[in-house]
Amino acid sequence: MQPIGDELRWDSPPFEPTISNGRLVARGAIDDKCGVWVNLQAIDSILATCETLPINVKLFFDGEEELGSRNAAACIAANRDLLACDAVIISDGPFSVRQPVIGYALRGAISGEVRVQGPPHDLHSGRYGGAVKNPIHQLARIIASFHDESGRIQIRGLYDDILPMSDRQIRHMNELWKSIGPDLQRAAGVDAFFGDSLGVFAERTTSQPTLDAGGIVGGYWGQETPAIIPSAARCKVTIRTVARQDSDLMWSRFVDHVRSFAEPAISIETELFSIAHPFLMPDDGREIRAIQRALKEALGREALLMRHGGSLAIGGLLGRELGLPVTMFGYGSGANSHAPNEFIYVDDIQIATEVAIRLLFELGGDN
């Protein structure tokens, strides 16, 4: 769960659920307490009515999802027998009564830092400029080397092992894009995008690897303008990987590339912060077909299939450690996740719970 941020921007206490204009407002309401609540309500409802569930259910609550599920790997590895099952459905993501979506693929995310070290302390640029390498300049060269002019990543091997999309998956992508694409592009607030030679926007942001610098620090940032050669510079990076890529290998290749810029009087270090592995399940698998039937019965319509451009560490961990198919189907109908006044629509809670109940019966093969 995310922190509350600026409490003054909340219209009600963030940890005191408040009903306002048909909305239940609270931190974590949509991301992702609703996923826990709806599943528990569905199970309780079936047990109260039938006294037994139509399928064996195991619940795994990850309280560190927003922290990269940093302790989940050890827990999963130590409890493989307890967690043994046929498939995993992660109750995270949006829920819409108008047009539901099912997530069948997520990219992985590798987060780390590059540190460039020059002289042991800042130097006077009038005395040493032109003779001592500037770490900021070297860091700029490193970052500039990440991509060519078209936007293609220049790290050796970072496009290896990519699983191409099937014709059916491309049709899914194009159909979904008609619904969400224009709004998604407008929300970026920019006049132009890059990388068209690599594929359409939806493909570049969901099924291709990416590499981005997320922050740069170096030198002096006070109001004065000291003439210095700074001693060090660093940047944060994020690598998005796609299904079938080995995240550890991708990071190793990135490190090799960055360290190739080391030279006399310039040392380069890297630090790996976290890895979230990508995952992909068959877009026509048993679990997805069951979700579609449950939606058809409850809402009268089926979901569009979605490849998410983001990452979810727990999904990749469960799929990787247990060798299971993983899909995502969320029950959150609302907005402002990670922001003040996060909310879920009260009227949609009941219909989401109905879908969850029907899904359990569909998975159990019992109508």
Side-chain angles (χ1 to χ4, degrees):
M1 186 172 61
Q2 288 288 307
I4 62 174
D6 185 357
E7 191 168 3
L8 296 177
R9 295 178 60 194
W10 286 80
D11 296 333
S12 56
F15 292 112
E16 295 180 16
T18 303
I19 302 294
S20 175
N21 297 320
R23 302 172 174 183
L24 190 155
V25 182
R27 170 53 85 229
I30 188 173
D31 188 19
D32 191 31
K33 292 175 181 175
C34 63
V36 174
W37 174 255
V38 167
N39 277 296
L40 292 178
Q41 286 295 103
I43 291 171
D44 282 348
S45 298
I46 296 174
L47 290 175
T49 305
C50 306
E51 298 184 352
T52 186
L53 296 177
I55 191 172
N56 188 37
V57 176
K58 297 182 179 182
L59 301 174
F60 186 97
F61 301 126
D62 177 16
E64 293 184 325
E65 182 260 316
E66 299 289 2
L67 300 174
S69 303
R70 59 182 62 165
N71 291 301
C75 177
I76 294 169
N79 293 280
R80 283 194 175 91
D81 292 341
L82 182 62
L83 294 171
C85 59
D86 298 309
V88 175
I89 297 177
I90 298 177
S91 296
D92 194 358
F95 176 82
S96 171
V97 298
R98 293 176 297 278
Q99 183 53 72
V101 296
I102 299 172
Y104 73 96
L106 270 85
R107 291 193 290 191
I110 306 170
S111 298
E113 183 172 283
V114 176
R115 293 190 284 268
V116 179
Q117 180 67 50
H121 51 77
D122 295 347
L123 298 176
H124 192 299
S125 63
R127 184 172 300 163
Y128 294 101
V132 175
K133 279 277 188 176
N134 189 315
I136 292 180
H137 297 179
Q138 197 71 351
L139 179 62
R141 293 189 184 98
I142 292 172
I143 296 173
S145 75
F146 288 169
H147 306 85
D148 65 15
E149 292 184 358
S150 73
R152 183 176 177 84
I153 300 171
Q154 297 299 288
I155 312 300
R156 180 187 62 83
L158 216 66
Y159 287 97
D160 287 359
D161 305 322
I162 293 176
L163 186 65
M165 284 194 294
S166 66
D167 291 342
R168 183 175 59 245
Q169 290 170 343
I170 292 174
R171 288 196 299 272
H172 289 323
M173 180 185 71
N174 291 336
E175 185 178 4
L176 179 66
W177 183 250
K178 293 176 185 177
S179 173
I180 69 171
D183 288 342
L184 188 64
Q185 284 188 314
R186 280 193 295 270
V190 299
D191 297 327
F193 300 96
F194 78 101
D196 290 342
S197 64
L198 304 178
V200 298
F201 185 100
E203 185 179 1
R204 301 196 308 275
T205 57
T206 63
S207 64
Q208 293 185 6
T210 63
L211 169 57
D212 286 288
I216 301 175
V217 177
Y220 182 79
W221 281 102
Q223 293 188 355
E224 301 84 2
T225 55
I228 63 167
I229 297 173
S231 63
R234 66 184 190 273
C235 72
K236 306 285 188 182
V237 295
T238 300
I239 303 170
R240 299 284 180 180
T241 55
V242 295
R244 208 167 67 178
Q245 287 191 310
D246 185 313
S247 299
D248 297 293
L249 179 58
M250 295 303 107
W251 173 252
S252 176
R253 288 171 172 171
F254 171 79
V255 170
D256 288 344
H257 176 87
V258 168
R259 287 181 175 171
S260 71
F261 285 82
E263 54 185 79
I266 289 287
S267 64
I268 297 173
E269 295 182 352
T270 59
E271 182 177 358
L272 175 64
F273 295 144
S274 65
I275 287 181
H277 299 287
F279 67 83
L280 170 74
M281 78 171 298
D283 56 286
D284 60 347
R286 172 179 177 269
E287 291 72 33
I288 285 182
R289 294 198 303 271
I291 296 172
Q292 295 286 35
R293 290 194 300 271
L295 288 168
K296 186 73 173 180
E297 293 165 358
L299 302 178
R301 61 178 58 84
E302 293 185 346
L304 296 176
L305 298 188
M306 182 176 190
R307 296 177 74 110
H308 292 272
S311 307
L312 188 69
I314 190 64
L317 280 171
L318 288 167
R320 186 182 178 93
E321 295 293 329
L322 302 180
L324 296 171
V326 178
T327 190
M328 285 182 63
F329 181 65
Y331 294 109
S333 174
N336 296 342
S337 59
H338 294 203
N341 299 313
E342 179 179 357
F343 71 88
I344 185 171
Y345 290 111
V346 175
D347 287 347
D348 289 347
I349 296 176
Q350 183 172 345
I351 189 66
T353 305
E354 180 184 345
V355 173
I357 291 171
R358 291 183 180 275
L359 175 56
L360 290 175
F361 281 102
E362 290 293 341
L363 290 169
D366 185 353
N367 292 321

